[in-house]
Every structure is written in C-alpha cells, then in structure tokens.
Amino acid sequence: MQATDKDFPQRGIVYSISTGGASQHYPNIFWINPQTGELQLVTKADYETTPIYILRIQATNSEDSSSVTVTVNIIEENDEKPICTPNSYFLAIPVDLKVGTNIYNFKLTCTDLDSSPRSFRYSIGPGNINGHFTFSPNAGSNVTSLILATRFDYASGLDKIWNYKLLVYITDDNLLSPRITYWILRKNVYSPSAWYVPFVITLGSMLLLGLLVSLIVLLAKAIHRHCPCKTGKHKKPL
C-alpha cells in the first residue's frame, strides 16, 4: 500500500500495523515495510485456526497520521495430514480364518482438520504378500475395517511367511494436493495344529529349572565340605 501527503514540502511517511494480525502462536504474523508500505507474512498462515485477518494500517508523517482497514483472506489448502487411530497394532489370527471376515472386528478411524470424512482412501503397500488383507470400505469413509481377502495356503507352498508387517496408506483426496500418512499393522498367523509348541517350551523350561537346582545343591555341598567351622565338641569350657 502507499500513502501520499499533499503538504508542501512533502515529509517522509512511516507505515505501521496498529492492530490485528495476531495468531495462536504469534503476536502478529504480518510485517509492513515502514518506508514502502509493503505488507509481508512473517510466518505461515493457517486457514484452520484463523481464515480472516483484519489489520489496521497507519501512515504517519512528522505532524499527522491516517489509517485504513485491510482485510486479508487466507485461502484454504490441503496442508493437514490424516491422523488415524490406532497408529499401530498387533494381531494373531488363525490360519483357517474364513475369507471375508472382519479380523477381530478391527477398525481404523481417521480424522483430518481440512477434509471431510468422505475424502479418505485406503491401500496396503509392502508386506501384503499374496494380497491376503484389504480394507472395507477402501474409500469414502473415515472408518474402515480390516478384512481377510484371500485364504492362507501353506500346504501347497503358496504361503511361506507367518508374520506379516503391513504398511497402510491413508490418502486425503481433499482439494488438489492429497496428503498421505502411514499406518503399520503387524500380524502373526499361527496354526491351531501346532500344539507341540507350548509343550516344547514348557519342557525346556522345566529342564532348565532342574539344572539350576542341581547346580545350587552342588555348590552348597562344596561350601559345606570346605568350611573351616568348628563343631561344639571342640569348644573349651568356661
């Protein structure tokens, strides 16, 4: 902006912001060049917190002053990332789980300050070997469920891994610049027929405990054998 002074001789004009421009974190996010009147941003404006700023700009010479009101409208942009809960999770599922099952009723809930609940898309990146997992719905909702898409097949050798670590992409389709956040899901697939696993663990624990007790007994005997303590019959009467 620029002010003029009709007095002669003309005196230098100094520009300043008298009121307005405050945000949650800064006393004023604007700065005005005192010589030229050029208005500049000191920091990034946030549409979600303050969409409109009303500034009072003052122009002063050595004897008088004048002021004008300037309204600054902040244009919305897609600058907020989706936030989803839970942000990580661990599940253990049976190998014979039925296709189409919502795995343990697990749901993912997402929010975004600058997007509507219908603007989210979900996809699973690396880790979804053989496409066993999917989300439903995969778009158009801020709440989605984890679904078993295809059955596991370890018998024929199609599936070889038992632990899945899924990287989930949540995309915000609001406006023209989508934002993506990442959500990690860990899965452990176990077989109900593997009854011997807890048996082996229990047996090993018992063997280790028995070995420890034997070592303690041997140590106690060795200490007793080499102890120089005198018995009561060697004591002299008072």
Side-chain angles (χ1 to χ4, degrees):
M1 63 177 298
Q2 188 174 9
T4 58
D5 188 349
K6 294 183 178 181
D7 292 332
F8 187 83
Q10 292 186 352
R11 299 175 175 85
I13 298 175
V14 178
Y15 301 91
S16 62
I17 302 174
S18 58
T19 60
S23 68
Q24 289 184 349
H25 305 289
Y26 297 90
N28 202 320
I29 69 169
F30 297 96
W31 175 80
I32 191 169
N33 189 310
Q35 279 75 43
T36 65
E38 181 182 6
L39 190 64
Q40 299 178 2
L41 274 172
V42 176
T43 185
K44 184 179 179 180
D46 188 2
Y47 175 87
E48 280 72 31
T49 58
T50 310
I52 298 176
Y53 291 89
I54 299 177
L55 311 178
R56 192 69 177 171
I57 307 297
Q58 184 171 322
T60 306
N61 59 20
S62 59
E63 296 180 355
D64 203 357
S65 65
S66 180
S67 60
V68 296
T69 300
V70 176
T71 301
V72 180
N73 294 296
I74 307 301
I75 299 175
E76 183 180 8
E77 67 172 355
N78 192 14
D79 58 350
E80 298 288 343
K81 290 184 178 181
I83 299 175
C84 301
T85 55
N87 59 2
S88 63
Y89 208 78
F90 177 84
L91 292 170
I93 63 177
V95 71
D96 56 353
L97 188 67
K98 184 179 178 181
V99 172
T101 301
N102 178 197
I103 302 174
Y104 287 108
N105 294 319
F106 180 85
K107 295 183 183 298
L108 183 63
T109 303
C110 299
T111 58
D112 192 325
L113 293 177
D114 58 11
S115 302
S116 72
R118 300 175 61 86
S119 65
F120 297 101
R121 286 187 292 114
Y122 309 91
S123 60
I124 302 177
N128 192 16
I129 309 299
N130 295 329
H132 289 305
F133 307 100
T134 188
F135 281 96
S136 180
N138 60 8
S141 175
N142 69 318
V143 180
T144 185
S145 301
L146 183 64
I147 304 295
L148 183 66
T150 60
R151 70 181 185 88
F152 299 104
D153 186 3
Y154 292 96
S156 67
L158 176 64
D159 291 310
K160 300 182 183 300
I161 64 172
W162 292 83
N163 294 284
Y164 292 82
K165 182 179 180 181
L166 306 181
L167 181 63
V168 181
Y169 297 90
I170 299 95
T171 306
D172 165 18
D173 283 337
N174 186 32
L175 302 178
L176 299 178
S177 55
R179 298 285 179 171
I180 298 176
T181 191
Y182 307 97
W183 179 77
I184 296 176
L185 174 65
R186 297 176 183 270
K187 288 185 169 299
N188 178 32
V189 181
Y190 70 91
S191 173
S193 61
W195 56 269
Y196 55 86
V197 174
F199 173 75
V200 171
I201 294 175
T202 304
L203 180 60
S205 301
M206 293 177 64
L207 291 175
L208 288 175
L209 181 60
L211 179 61
L212 180 61
V213 171
S214 299
L215 290 175
I216 293 175
V217 171
L218 292 175
L219 180 62
K221 288 182 178 180
I223 293 174
H224 180 73
R225 188 181 305 115
H226 296 87
C227 181
C229 300
K230 296 181 179 180
T231 60
K233 62 181 180 180
H234 297 294
K235 293 182 179 179
K236 295 181 179 181
L238 297 175

